[in-house]
Amino acid sequence: ILSYVAHRYALHHPDSPLTEYHMQWQHSIIAPFAFVANYDHPLAYLVHIFLPTYIPALLFRFHLLTYHMYLAIISLEEAFGYSGYNVLPSGLILGGIARRQERHLMGEGKGNFSCLGIVDFVAGTTLGEDVVEDVREEAENNHVRERVKGRAKGVGRKPKGRSRS
């Protein structure tokens, strides 16, 4: 939520002094790729990336190892989100992040301010399809319905030939 608020109101609000810097740096990228995940003006990076990851650690007093794991997960999520790959272990979530990031950059920052899209969905700032459509599309691409049907055929039946003693 901190990242969404910083991104929407500090980096894309017309009255914010950081909007011009953010648009010149981050939104100069035509198509996202993994190396530009942290490409932004230093002040915009401080407000949008550093503070939303540092403030929770400061407030909740994470252990140093826990904080480093948190940073690693966030860094991987950003790199995967900017990479555009949909063939990832958790494609249902990360595939949607890549599409939302692409729509944000292509839409000149008019929406999709959060990485997962949940806050965008609630705030009504989703560009293109919403989170529900993203999950539905990823489920269709990964043939989830067929996989579930195949696994659910034997559920609730007693195994044949086995007896409990």
Side-chain angles (χ1 to χ4, degrees):
I1 295 176
L2 287 174
S3 180
Y4 173 85
V5 170
H7 195 179
R8 181 175 182 188
Y9 296 107
L11 302 182
H12 286 282
H13 195 274
D15 297 334
S16 173
L18 295 175
T19 301
E20 184 179 338
Y21 297 129
H22 180 67
M23 295 304 265
Q24 287 174 353
W25 286 57
Q26 178 74 20
H27 287 275
S28 67
I29 305 301
I30 296 171
F33 56 97
F35 287 123
V36 299
N38 293 316
Y39 178 72
D40 209 344
H41 188 275
L43 288 175
Y45 179 85
L46 179 75
V47 169
H48 175 238
I49 304 293
F50 181 74
L51 288 178
T53 56
Y54 185 68
I55 288 174
L58 191 64
L59 291 176
F60 297 118
R61 309 287 293 169
F62 292 149
H63 185 274
L64 187 61
L65 183 61
T66 307
Y67 182 63
H68 282 273
M69 286 176 25
Y70 173 66
L71 286 179
I73 291 169
I74 287 176
S75 298
L76 282 173
E77 176 261 324
E78 285 182 354
F80 286 146
Y82 275 85
S83 71
Y85 288 122
N86 289 333
V87 187
L88 296 169
S90 61
L92 286 175
I93 295 174
L94 292 176
I97 292 172
R99 280 195 300 277
R100 282 187 288 283
Q101 182 59 41
E102 195 172 285
R103 287 184 193 130
H104 174 74
L105 289 176
M106 301 297 181
E108 299 174 357
K110 297 193 182 348
N112 290 359
F113 301 109
S114 68
C115 60
L116 294 176
I118 298 167
V119 182
D120 281 311
F121 179 71
V122 171
T125 56
T126 303
L127 289 179
E129 301 162 341
D130 61 6
V131 179
V132 176
E133 291 299 320
D134 278 340
V135 170
R136 199 173 285 143
E137 184 179 323
E138 282 298 318
E140 287 174 11
N141 290 344
N142 292 318
H143 309 289
V144 171
R145 190 175 300 245
E146 291 84 15
R147 289 181 182 177
V148 170
K149 282 182 184 176
R151 299 255 191 316
K153 284 182 182 177
V155 175
R157 294 185 201 152
K158 271 187 161 179
K160 295 179 182 178
R162 288 187 172 175
S163 63
R164 292 187 180 182
S165 40

